[in-house]
Amino acid sequence: MIDLRSDTVTQPTQAMLEAMRQASLGDDSRDGDPCVRLLEARAAQMTGKQAAVFMPSGTMTNLVAILTHTEQQGEILLEADSHILNNESAGMARLAGALARPLPGKNGAMGLSALEHALKRNHWGRRLISMETTHNSAGGQVLSLAHMQAVYALAQQHDVAVHTDGARLFNAAVFLNCQASDICAFTDSVTFCLSKGLSAPIGSVLCGSVEFCNKARFYRRMVGGHLRQAGPLAAAGLLALETMVARLHEDHRHASHLGEQLHRLHHRFCNPVDIHTNIVMVDVSHSTVSAQHWVRELLKHNVAAGAWSDQNLRLVTHRHISTHDIENTITAFEQVWNAVKNQTLK
Ligand SMILES: Cc1ncc(COP(=O)(O)O)c(C=O)c1O
């Protein structure tokens, strides 16, 4: 099966499994664990922040970031299609008691004039601006540094903190050909996942100032995310940071080639210019059948895709997808597309 549903399906490498076997087994929430400390120090260094806190998931790091910034009396200004707002089971509202102020955006970037307007309005509680890069529902598009800088400048003018959901932060850095810390210069806190394109089995990290991270540890415990013998997970995560970032460009190359070939099949499937990283959103609305139909038909050709909506498929490249798999996926699309067209003609 060519599994393009998500980069979360990646398996740990043999080296990660070996590192997990040999890892320290300290109680991270009691005495601290050496491997966890190393991972957190490396994460802080790579993002240019003072400190970091290891957690099980990206959803939890985002929730804890919101709790820490707003202390359960906040208002979050964020782009309307953000993962935090739409895909995290309303944790920001239900658990952090935060009011969402969704702002219209383009390609994952919130409109700056809408942001400025919202910042001038009356508000309730502590405000936080949240950005997302790469942006999941915008098909893995990357915020430009200029945009992030402009958002950060507005935030500072209004004395508002900024968080960035960087679940795929290193994909963004590869696309921009910069260091992760160059991106994180325009945010007070940032989260990234070790478990997606970086292939670790589990884990995400929240990075920020020492004061912020100390407070985040309190909220992590509140939501049950404090960890005990987390050394093996941290050991895999550390190896993910050291060895997997350098290969992400291969996933981007595969996504880009896939997008170009789908565009060639029909220009409305996707616009290759929109494919920045490892996600290809395919618009099937013109094909007269639903995305769910496409998923079922592609499965018959051993291609697993995700239906992002009734009209969109999401295909995500990762370490287990080879150039050959991409060619087979293109062939599968051609065959399904021909069958759909023949069906329509009947
Ligand atoms: C942009 C973004 N943020 C956060 C998450 C949540 O990560 P997790 O699945 O580890 O909770 C995801 C997961 O796909 C994501 O794409």
Side-chain angles (χ1 to χ4, degrees):
M1 186 61 68
I2 302 170
D3 195 347
L4 293 160
R5 290 170 304 157
S6 177
D7 46 10
T8 56
V9 302
T10 45
Q11 300 287 306
T13 62
Q14 281 308 314
M16 284 180 199
L17 292 172
E18 188 52 32
M20 290 175 83
R21 214 177 56 79
Q22 293 182 8
S24 51
L25 290 167
D27 181 338
D28 185 47
S29 289
R30 187 171 298 273
D31 317 310
D33 171 77
C35 279
V36 175
R37 276 199 216 110
L38 273 178
L39 170 68
E40 290 178 344
R42 185 74 176 116
Q45 185 199 24
M46 288 173 90
T47 55
K49 298 297 176 202
Q50 290 175 343
V53 191
F54 184 43
M55 293 187 219
S57 71
T59 301
M60 187 181 280
T61 46
N62 282 331
L63 175 64
V64 168
I66 291 169
L67 283 163
T68 308
H69 280 293
T70 65
E71 303 196 86
Q72 290 174 294
Q73 43 188 326
E75 190 176 300
I76 324 280
L77 296 92
L78 75 186
E79 193 276 328
D81 289 328
S82 300
H83 196 276
I84 289 183
L85 182 58
N86 300 287
N87 305 88
E88 300 189 5
S89 305
M92 65 184 281
R94 291 173 158 191
L95 302 174
L99 174 75
R101 289 242 184 250
L103 303 172
K106 192 162 178 255
N107 303 333
M110 62 183 81
L112 291 176
S113 50
L115 174 64
E116 196 164 10
H117 180 71
L119 283 168
K120 285 181 185 154
R121 282 175 61 161
N122 287 345
H123 60 278
W124 173 81
R126 293 184 190 191
R127 288 182 300 178
L128 173 68
I129 296 171
S130 178
M131 292 188 266
E132 181 177 322
T133 190
T134 73
H135 197 287
N136 194 349
S137 74
Q141 293 199 60
V142 177
L143 299 180
S144 71
L145 291 180
H147 173 80
M148 292 191 71
Q149 185 171 24
V151 169
Y152 200 46
L154 278 174
Q156 288 183 324
Q157 266 171 38
H158 293 266
D159 201 19
V160 172
V162 176
H163 172 67
T164 297
D165 175 359
R168 297 182 179 83
L169 176 70
F170 293 97
N171 295 86
V174 167
F175 173 75
L176 293 172
N177 196 19
C178 70
Q179 300 297 316
S181 55
D182 297 328
I183 299 173
C184 301
F186 305 119
T187 188
D188 298 303
S189 63
V190 60
T191 64
F192 67 81
C193 296
L194 298 158
S195 56
K196 298 190 165 76
L198 301 186
S199 293
I202 189 170
S204 294
V205 191
L206 172 61
C207 309
S209 68
V210 169
E211 193 191 350
F212 175 85
C213 287
N214 286 341
K215 204 154 89 170
R217 287 182 196 280
F218 168 84
Y219 283 108
R220 179 181 69 162
R221 178 173 277 265
M222 191 182 95
V223 296
H226 59 300
L227 297 164
R228 298 299 180 185
Q229 281 78 27
L233 298 176
L238 196 53
L239 216 50
L241 279 180
E242 301 303 356
T243 61
M244 293 288 123
V245 175
R247 59 154 306 287
L248 291 176
H249 67 93
E250 287 175 35
D251 301 340
H252 296 188
R253 185 168 52 77
H254 284 151
S256 167
H257 179 60
L258 179 57
E260 278 161 17
Q261 293 309 308
L262 296 185
H263 179 78
R264 189 182 54 79
L265 272 186
H266 193 292
H267 69 281
R268 280 187 58 191
F269 278 139
C270 63
N271 184 353
V273 173
D274 294 339
I275 300 165
H276 290 182
T277 55
N278 66 331
I279 301 180
V280 182
M281 278 293 181
V282 188
D283 179 354
V284 294
S285 57
H286 59 96
S287 73
T288 71
V289 293
S290 68
Q292 290 78 5
H293 177 94
W294 274 88
V295 168
R296 284 192 297 275
E297 291 307 308
L298 286 167
L299 264 183
K300 294 178 189 165
H301 297 268
N302 289 329
V303 174
W308 190 251
S309 68
D310 288 351
Q311 305 190 330
N312 287 287
L313 296 171
R314 193 186 72 151
L315 309 172
V316 188
T317 58
H318 52 76
R319 189 168 64 83
H320 306 305
I321 300 296
S322 64
T323 307
H324 187 61
D325 291 333
I326 294 293
E327 294 309 332
N328 285 343
T329 303
I330 294 161
T331 307
F333 258 88
E334 263 171 22
Q335 288 172 346
V336 174
W337 180 222
N338 285 338
V340 168
K341 280 191 296 194
N342 287 339
Q343 198 72 26
T344 319
L345 288 177
K346 273 184 192 161

Coordinates of all heavy atoms in Angstrom, one line a residue, residues 266-344:
H266 N -5.2 17.2 -15.2 CA -6.3 18.3 -15.3 C -5.8 19.5 -14.5 O -5.5 19.3 -13.3 CB -7.6 17.7 -14.8 CG -8.7 18.7 -15.2 ND1 -8.9 19.9 -14.7 CD2 -9.7 18.5 -16.1 CE1 -9.9 20.5 -15.2 NE2 -10.5 19.7 -16.1
H267 N -5.9 20.6 -15.1 CA -5.3 21.8 -14.5 C -6.0 22.2 -13.2 O -5.4 22.8 -12.3 CB -5.3 23.0 -15.4 CG -6.7 23.6 -15.7 ND1 -7.5 22.9 -16.6 CD2 -7.4 24.6 -15.2 CE1 -8.7 23.6 -16.6 NE2 -8.6 24.6 -15.8
R268 N -7.2 21.7 -13.0 CA -7.9 22.0 -11.8 C -7.6 21.1 -10.6 O -8.0 21.4 -9.5 CB -9.4 22.1 -12.0 CG -9.8 23.4 -12.7 CD -11.3 23.6 -12.8 NE -12.0 23.6 -11.6 CZ -13.3 23.5 -11.5 NH1 -14.1 23.5 -12.6 NH2 -13.9 23.5 -10.3
F269 N -6.9 20.0 -10.8 CA -6.6 19.1 -9.7 C -5.7 19.9 -8.7 O -6.0 19.8 -7.5 CB -5.8 17.9 -10.2 CG -6.7 16.8 -10.7 CD1 -6.4 16.1 -11.8 CD2 -7.9 16.5 -10.1 CE1 -7.2 15.1 -12.3 CE2 -8.7 15.4 -10.5 CZ -8.4 14.7 -11.7
C270 N -4.7 20.6 -9.2 CA -3.9 21.4 -8.2 C -3.1 22.4 -9.0 O -2.8 22.2 -10.2 CB -3.1 20.5 -7.3 SG -1.9 19.6 -8.2
N271 N -2.6 23.4 -8.3 CA -1.7 24.3 -8.9 C -0.3 24.1 -8.3 O -0.1 24.3 -7.1 CB -2.2 25.8 -8.5 CG -1.3 26.8 -9.2 OD1 -0.3 26.5 -9.8 ND2 -1.7 28.1 -9.1
P272 N 0.6 23.6 -9.1 CA 1.9 23.3 -8.6 C 2.6 24.4 -7.7 O 3.4 24.1 -6.8 CB 2.8 23.0 -9.8 CG 1.8 22.6 -10.9 CD 0.5 23.4 -10.5
V273 N 2.3 25.6 -8.0 CA 2.9 26.7 -7.3 C 2.5 26.7 -5.8 O 3.2 27.2 -5.0 CB 2.4 28.1 -8.0 CG1 2.9 29.3 -7.2 CG2 2.9 28.1 -9.4
D274 N 1.3 26.1 -5.5 CA 0.9 26.1 -4.2 C 1.5 25.0 -3.3 O 1.3 24.9 -2.1 CB -0.7 25.8 -4.1 CG -1.4 27.0 -4.7 OD1 -0.9 28.1 -4.7 OD2 -2.6 26.8 -5.1
I275 N 2.3 24.1 -4.0 CA 2.9 23.0 -3.3 C 4.3 23.4 -2.8 O 5.2 23.4 -3.5 CB 3.0 21.7 -4.2 CG1 1.5 21.4 -4.6 CG2 3.6 20.6 -3.4 CD1 1.5 20.4 -5.7
H276 N 4.3 23.8 -1.5 CA 5.6 24.3 -0.9 C 6.3 23.1 -0.2 O 7.6 23.2 -0.2 CB 5.3 25.3 0.2 CG 4.8 26.6 -0.3 ND1 4.5 27.7 0.5 CD2 4.5 27.0 -1.6 CE1 4.1 28.7 -0.2 NE2 4.0 28.3 -1.5
T277 N 5.6 22.2 0.4 CA 6.4 21.2 1.2 C 5.9 19.8 0.8 O 6.1 19.4 -0.3 CB 6.2 21.5 2.7 OG1 4.8 21.6 3.0 CG2 6.8 22.9 3.0
N278 N 5.4 19.0 1.8 CA 5.1 17.6 1.6 C 3.6 17.3 1.5 O 3.2 16.1 1.6 CB 5.8 16.7 2.7 CG 5.1 17.0 4.0 OD1 4.6 18.0 4.3 ND2 5.2 16.0 4.9
I279 N 2.8 18.3 1.3 CA 1.3 18.1 1.2 C 0.8 18.5 -0.2 O 1.2 19.6 -0.7 CB 0.6 18.9 2.3 CG1 1.1 18.4 3.7 CG2 -0.9 18.7 2.2 CD1 0.4 19.1 4.9
V280 N 0.0 17.7 -0.8 CA -0.6 18.0 -2.0 C -2.1 17.9 -1.8 O -2.7 16.9 -1.5 CB -0.2 17.0 -3.2 CG1 -0.9 17.4 -4.5 CG2 1.3 16.9 -3.3
M281 N -2.8 19.1 -1.9 CA -4.3 19.1 -1.8 C -4.8 19.0 -3.3 O -4.3 19.7 -4.2 CB -4.8 20.4 -1.3 CG -4.7 20.6 0.2 SD -5.9 19.5 1.1 CE -5.5 20.0 2.7
V282 N -5.7 18.0 -3.5 CA -6.2 17.8 -4.8 C -7.6 18.2 -4.9 O -8.5 17.6 -4.1 CB -6.0 16.3 -5.3 CG1 -6.3 16.1 -6.7 CG2 -4.5 15.9 -5.0
D283 N -8.0 19.1 -5.7 CA -9.4 19.6 -5.8 C -10.0 18.6 -6.9 O -9.7 18.6 -8.1 CB -9.4 21.0 -6.3 CG -10.8 21.6 -6.5 OD1 -11.7 20.8 -6.4 OD2 -10.9 22.8 -6.8
V284 N -11.0 17.9 -6.4 CA -11.7 16.9 -7.3 C -13.1 17.4 -7.6 O -13.9 16.7 -8.2 CB -11.7 15.5 -6.8 CG1 -10.3 14.9 -6.7 CG2 -12.4 15.4 -5.4
S285 N -13.4 18.7 -7.3 CA -14.8 19.1 -7.4 C -15.3 19.1 -8.9 O -16.5 18.9 -9.1 CB -14.9 20.6 -6.9 OG -14.0 21.4 -7.5
H286 N -14.4 19.3 -9.9 CA -14.8 19.3 -11.3 C -14.9 17.9 -11.8 O -15.3 17.7 -13.0 CB -13.7 20.0 -12.1 CG -12.4 19.3 -12.0 ND1 -11.9 18.4 -12.9 CD2 -11.4 19.4 -11.0 CE1 -10.7 18.0 -12.5 NE2 -10.4 18.6 -11.3
S287 N -14.7 16.9 -11.0 CA -14.6 15.5 -11.5 C -16.0 14.8 -11.5 O -16.1 13.7 -11.9 CB -13.6 14.6 -10.8 OG -14.1 14.3 -9.5
T288 N -17.0 15.5 -10.9 CA -18.4 15.0 -10.7 C -18.5 13.9 -9.7 O -19.6 13.5 -9.4 CB -19.1 14.6 -12.1 OG1 -18.4 13.3 -12.5 CG2 -19.0 15.6 -13.1
V289 N -17.4 13.4 -9.2 CA -17.6 12.4 -8.0 C -16.9 13.0 -6.8 O -16.0 13.9 -6.9 CB -17.0 11.0 -8.4 CG1 -17.8 10.4 -9.5 CG2 -15.5 11.1 -8.8
S290 N -17.3 12.5 -5.7 CA -16.8 13.1 -4.4 C -15.3 12.6 -4.1 O -14.9 11.6 -4.6 CB -17.7 12.6 -3.3 OG -17.5 11.2 -3.0
A291 N -14.7 13.3 -3.2 CA -13.4 12.9 -2.7 C -13.4 11.5 -2.1 O -12.5 10.7 -2.3 CB -12.9 13.9 -1.7
Q292 N -14.5 11.2 -1.4 CA -14.7 9.8 -0.8 C -14.7 8.8 -1.9 O -14.1 7.7 -1.7 CB -16.0 9.8 0.0 CG -15.9 10.6 1.3 CD -16.2 12.1 1.1 OE1 -16.4 12.5 0.0 NE2 -16.0 12.9 2.2
H293 N -15.3 9.1 -3.0 CA -15.3 8.1 -4.2 C -13.9 7.9 -4.7 O -13.5 6.8 -4.9 CB -16.2 8.7 -5.3 CG -16.2 7.8 -6.5 ND1 -17.2 6.8 -6.7 CD2 -15.4 7.8 -7.6 CE1 -17.0 6.2 -7.9 NE2 -15.9 6.8 -8.4
W294 N -13.2 9.0 -4.8 CA -11.8 8.9 -5.2 C -11.0 8.1 -4.3 O -10.1 7.2 -4.7 CB -11.1 10.3 -5.3 CG -11.4 11.0 -6.6 CD1 -12.5 11.8 -7.0 CD2 -10.5 11.0 -7.8 NE1 -12.3 12.3 -8.2 CE2 -11.2 11.8 -8.8 CE3 -9.3 10.4 -8.1 CZ2 -10.6 12.0 -10.0 CZ3 -8.7 10.6 -9.3 CH2 -9.4 11.4 -10.3
V295 N -11.2 8.3 -3.0 CA -10.4 7.5 -2.0 C -10.7 6.0 -2.2 O -9.7 5.2 -2.2 CB -10.8 7.9 -0.5 CG1 -10.2 6.9 0.5 CG2 -10.3 9.3 -0.2
R296 N -12.0 5.6 -2.4 CA -12.3 4.2 -2.6 C -11.7 3.7 -3.8 O -11.1 2.6 -3.8 CB -13.8 4.1 -2.6 CG -14.5 4.1 -1.3 CD -16.0 3.7 -1.4 NE -16.8 4.5 -2.2 CZ -17.4 5.7 -1.9 NH1 -17.3 6.1 -0.6 NH2 -18.1 6.4 -2.7
E297 N -11.7 4.4 -4.9 CA -11.2 4.0 -6.2 C -9.6 3.9 -6.2 O -9.1 2.9 -6.7 CB -11.6 4.9 -7.3 CG -13.1 4.8 -7.6 CD -13.6 3.4 -7.9 OE1 -13.0 2.7 -8.7 OE2 -14.6 3.0 -7.2
L298 N -9.0 4.8 -5.5 CA -7.5 4.8 -5.5 C -7.1 3.6 -4.6 O -6.0 3.0 -4.9 CB -7.0 6.1 -4.9 CG -7.1 7.3 -5.8 CD1 -6.8 8.6 -5.0 CD2 -6.0 7.2 -6.9
L299 N -7.9 3.3 -3.6 CA -7.5 2.1 -2.8 C -7.4 0.8 -3.6 O -6.6 0.0 -3.3 CB -8.5 1.9 -1.7 CG -8.2 2.6 -0.3 CD1 -9.3 2.2 0.7 CD2 -6.9 2.1 0.2
K300 N -8.3 0.8 -4.6 CA -8.2 -0.4 -5.5 C -6.9 -0.5 -6.2 O -6.5 -1.6 -6.7 CB -9.4 -0.4 -6.5 CG -10.7 -0.5 -5.8 CD -11.9 -0.5 -6.8 CE -13.2 -0.4 -6.1 NZ -14.3 0.0 -7.0
H301 N -6.2 0.6 -6.3 CA -4.9 0.7 -7.0 C -3.8 0.7 -6.0 O -2.7 1.2 -6.3 CB -4.8 1.9 -7.9 CG -5.8 1.8 -9.1 ND1 -5.5 1.3 -10.3 CD2 -7.1 2.2 -9.1 CE1 -6.6 1.3 -11.1 NE2 -7.6 1.9 -10.4
N302 N -4.1 0.4 -4.7 CA -3.1 0.4 -3.6 C -2.6 1.7 -3.3 O -1.4 1.9 -2.8 CB -1.9 -0.6 -4.0 CG -2.3 -2.0 -3.9 OD1 -3.2 -2.4 -3.1 ND2 -1.7 -2.8 -4.7
V303 N -3.4 2.7 -3.4 CA -3.0 4.1 -3.0 C -4.0 4.6 -1.9 O -5.2 4.6 -2.2 CB -3.0 5.1 -4.2 CG1 -2.8 6.5 -3.7 CG2 -2.0 4.7 -5.2
A304 N -3.5 4.8 -0.8 CA -4.3 5.3 0.3 C -4.2 6.9 0.4 O -3.1 7.4 0.6 CB -3.9 4.7 1.6
A305 N -5.3 7.5 0.1 CA -5.4 9.0 0.2 C -6.3 9.4 1.3 O -7.2 8.6 1.7 CB -5.8 9.6 -1.2
G306 N -6.3 10.7 1.7 CA -7.3 11.1 2.7 C -8.3 12.0 2.0 O -7.9 12.9 1.2
A307 N -9.6 11.9 2.4 CA -10.6 12.9 1.9 C -10.6 14.1 2.9 O -11.0 13.9 4.1 CB -11.9 12.3 1.9
W308 N -10.0 15.2 2.5 CA -9.9 16.4 3.4 C -11.3 17.0 3.6 O -11.7 17.6 4.6 CB -8.9 17.3 2.9 CG -8.6 18.4 3.8 CD1 -8.9 19.8 3.7 CD2 -7.8 18.3 5.0 NE1 -8.4 20.5 4.8 CE2 -7.8 19.6 5.6 CE3 -7.2 17.3 5.7 CZ2 -7.1 19.9 6.8 CZ3 -6.6 17.5 6.9 CH2 -6.5 18.8 7.5
S309 N -12.1 16.9 2.5 CA -13.5 17.4 2.5 C -14.2 16.6 1.4 O -13.6 15.7 0.8 CB -13.5 18.9 2.1 OG -13.1 19.1 0.8
D310 N -15.4 17.0 1.0 CA -16.1 16.3 -0.1 C -15.4 16.5 -1.4 O -15.5 15.8 -2.3 CB -17.5 16.8 -0.2 CG -18.4 16.3 1.0 OD1 -17.9 15.4 1.7 OD2 -19.5 16.7 1.1
Q311 N -14.7 17.7 -1.4 CA -14.1 18.1 -2.7 C -12.6 18.0 -2.8 O -12.0 18.4 -3.8 CB -14.6 19.5 -3.0 CG -16.1 19.7 -2.9 CD -16.5 21.0 -3.4 OE1 -15.8 22.0 -3.3 NE2 -17.7 21.1 -4.0
N312 N -12.0 17.7 -1.7 CA -10.5 17.8 -1.7 C -9.9 16.5 -1.1 O -10.3 16.0 -0.1 CB -10.0 18.9 -0.8 CG -10.2 20.2 -1.5 OD1 -9.5 20.6 -2.5 ND2 -11.2 21.0 -1.1
L313 N -8.9 16.0 -1.8 CA -8.1 14.9 -1.3 C -6.8 15.5 -0.7 O -6.3 16.5 -1.2 CB -7.6 14.0 -2.4 CG -8.7 13.2 -3.2 CD1 -8.1 12.5 -4.4 CD2 -9.3 12.2 -2.2
R314 N -6.3 14.9 0.4 CA -5.0 15.4 0.9 C -4.0 14.2 0.7 O -4.3 13.1 1.2 CB -5.1 15.8 2.3 CG -3.8 16.5 2.8 CD -3.9 16.8 4.3 NE -3.7 15.6 5.1 CZ -3.1 15.6 6.3 NH1 -2.7 16.7 6.9 NH2 -2.9 14.4 6.9
L315 N -2.9 14.5 0.0 CA -1.8 13.5 -0.1 C -0.6 14.0 0.6 O -0.2 15.2 0.3 CB -1.5 13.3 -1.6 CG -2.7 13.0 -2.5 CD1 -2.3 13.0 -4.0 CD2 -3.4 11.6 -2.2
V316 N 0.0 13.2 1.4 CA 1.2 13.7 2.2 C 2.4 12.7 1.9 O 2.2 11.5 2.1 CB 0.9 13.7 3.7 CG1 2.1 14.4 4.4 CG2 -0.4 14.4 4.0
T317 N 3.5 13.3 1.4 CA 4.7 12.5 1.2 C 5.5 12.4 2.5 O 5.4 13.2 3.3 CB 5.5 13.0 0.0 OG1 5.9 14.4 0.4 CG2 4.7 13.1 -1.3
H318 N 6.3 11.3 2.6 CA 7.1 11.1 3.8 C 8.2 10.0 3.5 O 8.3 9.6 2.3 CB 6.2 10.6 4.9 CG 5.3 9.5 4.6 ND1 5.7 8.2 4.5 CD2 3.9 9.5 4.3 CE1 4.7 7.4 4.2 NE2 3.6 8.2 4.1
R319 N 8.9 9.7 4.5 CA 10.1 8.8 4.3 C 9.8 7.5 3.7 O 10.7 6.9 3.0 CB 10.7 8.6 5.7 CG 12.1 8.0 5.7 CD 12.7 8.1 7.0 NE 12.0 7.4 8.1 CZ 12.1 6.1 8.3 NH1 13.0 5.3 7.6 NH2 11.4 5.5 9.3
H320 N 8.6 6.9 3.8 CA 8.3 5.6 3.2 C 7.8 5.7 1.8 O 7.3 4.7 1.3 CB 7.3 4.9 4.1 CG 7.8 4.8 5.5 ND1 9.0 4.3 5.9 CD2 7.2 5.2 6.7 CE1 9.2 4.4 7.2 NE2 8.1 4.9 7.7
I321 N 7.7 6.9 1.2 CA 7.2 7.0 -0.1 C 8.4 7.3 -1.1 O 9.1 8.3 -0.9 CB 6.2 8.2 -0.2 CG1 5.0 8.0 0.7 CG2 5.8 8.5 -1.7 CD1 4.1 6.8 0.4
S322 N 8.6 6.3 -2.0 CA 9.7 6.4 -2.9 C 9.3 7.1 -4.2 O 8.1 7.3 -4.5 CB 10.2 5.0 -3.2 OG 9.2 4.3 -3.9
T323 N 10.3 7.4 -5.0 CA 10.0 7.9 -6.4 C 9.1 7.0 -7.2 O 8.2 7.4 -7.9 CB 11.4 8.2 -7.1 OG1 12.2 8.9 -6.2 CG2 11.2 8.9 -8.4
H324 N 9.4 5.7 -7.0 CA 8.6 4.7 -7.7 C 7.1 4.8 -7.2 O 6.2 4.6 -8.0 CB 9.2 3.3 -7.4 CG 8.6 2.2 -8.1 ND1 8.6 2.1 -9.5 CD2 8.0 1.1 -7.7 CE1 8.0 1.0 -9.9 NE2 7.6 0.4 -8.8
D325 N 6.9 4.9 -5.9 CA 5.6 5.0 -5.4 C 4.9 6.2 -6.0 O 3.6 6.2 -6.2 CB 5.6 5.2 -3.8 CG 6.1 4.0 -3.1 OD1 5.9 2.9 -3.7 OD2 6.6 4.1 -2.0
I326 N 5.6 7.3 -6.2 CA 5.0 8.5 -6.7 C 4.5 8.2 -8.2 O 3.4 8.6 -8.6 CB 6.0 9.7 -6.7 CG1 6.3 10.1 -5.2 CG2 5.5 10.9 -7.5 CD1 5.1 10.7 -4.5
E327 N 5.4 7.5 -8.9 CA 5.0 7.2 -10.3 C 3.8 6.3 -10.3 O 2.9 6.5 -11.1 CB 6.2 6.5 -11.0 CG 7.4 7.3 -11.3 CD 7.2 8.7 -11.9 OE1 6.2 8.8 -12.7 OE2 7.9 9.7 -11.6
N328 N 3.7 5.3 -9.4 CA 2.6 4.5 -9.3 C 1.3 5.2 -8.9 O 0.2 4.9 -9.4 CB 2.8 3.3 -8.3 CG 3.7 2.3 -8.9 OD1 4.0 2.2 -10.1 ND2 4.3 1.5 -8.0
T329 N 1.5 6.2 -8.1 CA 0.3 7.0 -7.7 C -0.2 7.8 -8.9 O -1.4 7.9 -9.1 CB 0.8 8.0 -6.5 OG1 1.3 7.2 -5.5 CG2 -0.4 8.8 -6.0
I330 N 0.7 8.4 -9.7 CA 0.3 9.1 -10.8 C -0.5 8.2 -11.8 O -1.5 8.6 -12.3 CB 1.5 9.8 -11.5 CG1 2.2 10.8 -10.6 CG2 1.2 10.4 -12.9 CD1 3.6 11.2 -10.9
T331 N 0.0 7.0 -12.0 CA -0.7 6.0 -12.9 C -2.0 5.7 -12.3 O -3.0 5.7 -13.0 CB 0.2 4.7 -13.0 OG1 1.5 5.1 -13.4 CG2 -0.4 3.8 -14.0
A332 N -2.1 5.5 -11.0 CA -3.4 5.2 -10.3 C -4.4 6.4 -10.6 O -5.6 6.1 -10.9 CB -3.2 5.0 -8.9
F333 N -3.9 7.6 -10.4 CA -4.8 8.8 -10.7 C -5.3 8.8 -12.1 O -6.4 9.1 -12.4 CB -4.0 10.1 -10.4 CG -4.4 10.7 -9.0 CD1 -3.7 10.3 -7.9 CD2 -5.4 11.6 -8.9 CE1 -4.0 10.8 -6.7 CE2 -5.8 12.1 -7.7 CZ -5.1 11.7 -6.6
E334 N -4.4 8.5 -13.0 CA -4.7 8.5 -14.5 C -5.8 7.5 -14.7 O -6.8 7.8 -15.4 CB -3.5 8.1 -15.3 CG -2.8 9.3 -15.9 CD -1.4 8.8 -16.5 OE1 -1.3 7.6 -16.9 OE2 -0.6 9.7 -16.6
Q335 N -5.7 6.3 -14.1 CA -6.7 5.2 -14.3 C -8.0 5.6 -13.7 O -9.1 5.4 -14.4 CB -6.1 3.9 -13.8 CG -5.0 3.4 -14.7 CD -4.3 2.2 -14.1 OE1 -4.4 1.9 -13.0 NE2 -3.5 1.6 -15.0
V336 N -8.0 6.1 -12.5 CA -9.3 6.5 -11.9 C -9.9 7.6 -12.6 O -11.1 7.6 -12.9 CB -9.1 6.9 -10.4 CG1 -10.4 7.4 -9.7 CG2 -8.5 5.7 -9.6
W337 N -9.1 8.6 -13.0 CA -9.6 9.7 -13.8 C -10.3 9.3 -15.1 O -11.4 9.7 -15.5 CB -8.5 10.7 -14.0 CG -8.8 12.0 -14.7 CD1 -8.0 12.6 -15.7 CD2 -9.9 12.9 -14.6 NE1 -8.6 13.8 -16.1 CE2 -9.8 14.0 -15.4 CE3 -11.1 12.8 -13.8 CZ2 -10.7 15.0 -15.5 CZ3 -12.0 13.9 -13.9 CH2 -11.8 14.9 -14.8
N338 N -9.6 8.4 -15.8 CA -10.2 7.9 -17.1 C -11.5 7.1 -16.8 O -12.5 7.3 -17.6 CB -9.2 6.9 -17.8 CG -8.1 7.7 -18.4 OD1 -8.2 8.9 -18.7 ND2 -6.9 7.0 -18.6
A339 N -11.5 6.3 -15.7 CA -12.8 5.6 -15.4 C -13.9 6.6 -15.1 O -15.0 6.4 -15.5 CB -12.5 4.7 -14.2
V340 N -13.6 7.6 -14.3 CA -14.6 8.6 -13.9 C -15.1 9.4 -15.2 O -16.3 9.6 -15.4 CB -14.0 9.7 -12.9 CG1 -14.9 10.9 -12.7 CG2 -13.7 9.0 -11.6
K341 N -14.2 9.7 -16.1 CA -14.6 10.4 -17.3 C -15.5 9.5 -18.2 O -16.5 10.0 -18.7 CB -13.3 10.9 -18.1 CG -12.7 12.1 -17.5 CD -11.7 12.7 -18.4 CE -10.5 11.8 -18.6 NZ -9.3 12.5 -19.2
N342 N -15.1 8.2 -18.3 CA -15.9 7.3 -19.1 C -17.3 7.2 -18.5 O -18.3 7.1 -19.2 CB -15.3 5.9 -19.2 CG -14.1 6.0 -20.1 OD1 -14.0 6.9 -20.9 ND2 -13.1 5.0 -19.9
Q343 N -17.4 7.1 -17.2 CA -18.6 7.0 -16.5 C -19.5 8.2 -16.8 O -20.7 8.0 -17.1 CB -18.3 6.9 -15.0 CG -19.4 6.4 -14.1 CD -19.5 4.9 -14.3 OE1 -18.6 4.2 -14.7 NE2 -20.7 4.4 -14.1
T344 N -18.9 9.3 -16.8 CA -19.7 10.6 -17.0 C -20.2 10.6 -18.4 O -21.3 11.1 -18.7 CB -18.8 11.8 -16.8 OG1 -18.0 11.5 -15.6 CG2 -19.6 13.1 -16.5

